[in-house]
Amino acid sequence: DGAAVLFGAAQALREAIGVPIAPIDLADHGRAVETACEGLSKNDRQHAWVQGKSLELQEAIDYALSS
């Protein structure tokens, strides 16, 4: 679920700075999220995503480096 946490953190950062995923990248992003979340239950995926969205930028960086 580490990748799902980081995808949540990335979403929060994009929202904070007002930069959405470029339309040309949406399909690739969706596939990457699905691959990263494979094997997670819907509940686990949602929990990881919310956990990631709650991280401050430095916490997300530290999390990524420790994974």
Side-chain angles (χ1 to χ4, degrees):
D1 62 336
V5 171
L6 293 175
F7 273 115
Q11 180 182 355
L13 176 59
R14 285 191 307 276
E15 290 171 356
I17 63 174
V19 178
I21 297 169
I24 196 167
D25 294 327
L26 283 174
D28 287 339
H29 179 268
R31 283 189 294 274
V33 169
E34 289 305 315
T35 298
C37 294
E38 247 175 32
L40 293 180
S41 70
K42 184 177 180 179
N43 188 50
D44 287 344
R45 176 181 176 166
Q46 183 177 8
H47 177 75
W49 202 274
V50 169
Q51 179 185 354
K53 287 190 74 170
S54 71
L55 296 175
E56 296 292 327
L57 177 59
Q58 189 59 54
E59 292 174 320
I61 292 168
D62 292 342
Y63 184 90
L65 293 175
S66 70
S67 295

